[in-house]
Amino acid sequence: MANVLSGIRIPDSKIAREAAELVRQHEAELLFNHSVRVFVFGAMKGIRQNLKFDSELLYVAALFHDLGLVDAYHTETKRFEVDGADAAREFLRSHGIPEAKADLVWEAIALHTTPGIPQYMRPEIALTNAGVLVDVIGIGYDEYTPEQRNQVIAAFPRGDNFKSDFIQVQTCSALKKPLTTYGTVNFDYIREHDPAFHLPNACARIRNAPWQT
């Protein structure tokens, strides 16, 4: 892997290397490259905004953020974000990282698809979310120079069909456990695949609550 991209150094500590090796074992190039791009774009934004953040923790959060999409870390009842967050926290605990730092990474991963909240939280959480948003849907795209974007893509390519391939991966995960997509953006993957599929909406759940009034 490239060591430095537009001034952003890829962490090379023992933990960082082992995290990357673990994720590489389970993720295809599509997700692995996306995860590293999430780190680099997030770190770029952090530096641009003069934020103080732990680069190693941000890197681990970015690496693990989509690990819940792969079979080895898939559970039947948890959102894929939580599966990835659990895996990251267990990994950090096994390396003697303090609980507070492991919990911070857990929160960054668990909240990375949640709109409107991460940007107000600690930098590692906000920057994981920001990296995801720019790489997947282009929010903040123009905040990066063409040279920055091109350098990142050259080092960690998107491939020829990243958009459609990424949607397919997310859709496969959502279809395995559709009830976990209630109230999340993940339901959109199911709805596009099967417009007839419906989950109970918030109003129906309120009306069906066991209270008398």
Side-chain angles (χ1 to χ4, degrees):
M1 292 194 304
N3 292 324
V4 180
L5 295 171
S6 295
I8 303 300
R9 181 172 295 278
I10 304 294
D12 193 38
S13 64
K14 182 176 184 291
I15 288 178
R17 292 194 303 272
E18 291 186 5
E21 290 170 4
L22 186 153
V23 174
R24 270 189 181 278
Q25 289 175 15
H26 298 287
E27 288 187 353
E29 186 176 29
L30 172 84
L31 288 182
F32 182 81
N33 283 358
H34 160 61
S35 296
V36 182
R37 293 196 305 268
V38 166
F39 164 74
V40 178
F41 285 133
M44 284 181 182
K45 181 166 186 172
I47 291 175
R48 187 169 63 244
Q49 295 183 335
N50 295 316
L51 298 177
K52 293 182 179 180
F53 61 94
D54 187 315
S55 184
E56 186 177 73
L57 294 183
L58 177 61
Y59 185 56
V60 173
L63 284 176
F64 278 77
H65 86 277
D66 275 344
L67 198 60
L69 293 171
V70 304
D71 290 342
Y73 290 89
H74 164 89
T75 67
E76 296 293 332
T77 59
K78 297 177 184 176
R79 286 173 55 169
F80 88 87
E81 300 95 330
V82 174
D83 287 335
D86 285 348
R89 183 160 59 186
E90 183 58 34
F91 170 83
L92 291 171
R93 284 172 172 169
S94 73
H95 284 73
I97 298 300
E99 197 72 8
K101 290 185 177 181
D103 286 345
L104 175 58
V105 171
W106 190 95
E107 292 174 27
I109 298 171
L111 293 171
H112 82 264
T113 63
T114 301
I117 294 177
Q119 64 263 41
Y120 301 108
M121 301 182 73
R122 284 168 290 180
E124 293 81 3
I125 300 172
L127 297 176
T128 300
N129 174 251
V132 170
L133 290 178
V134 68
D135 197 57
V136 177
I137 57 178
I139 292 179
Y141 181 87
D142 291 329
E143 296 174 6
Y144 302 85
T145 67
E147 292 76 17
Q148 287 176 323
R149 296 193 301 262
N150 291 338
Q151 190 171 0
V152 175
I153 297 305
F156 299 97
R158 291 173 65 90
D160 295 332
N161 298 293
F162 175 80
K163 294 176 181 179
S164 58
D165 290 345
F166 186 77
I167 290 172
Q168 182 177 8
V169 170
Q170 290 278 6
T171 301
C172 288
S173 174
L175 290 172
K176 290 177 183 176
K177 43 185 179 181
L179 293 181
T180 68
T181 69
Y182 173 78
T184 79
V185 297
N186 301 322
F187 179 60
D188 291 343
Y189 298 110
I190 297 178
R191 183 161 44 197
E192 177 159 309
H193 175 79
D194 180 8
F197 182 86
H198 294 286
L199 286 172
N201 63 36
C203 295
R205 297 188 76 175
I206 292 170
R207 293 189 179 102
N208 292 330
W211 301 102
Q212 292 184 354
T213 61

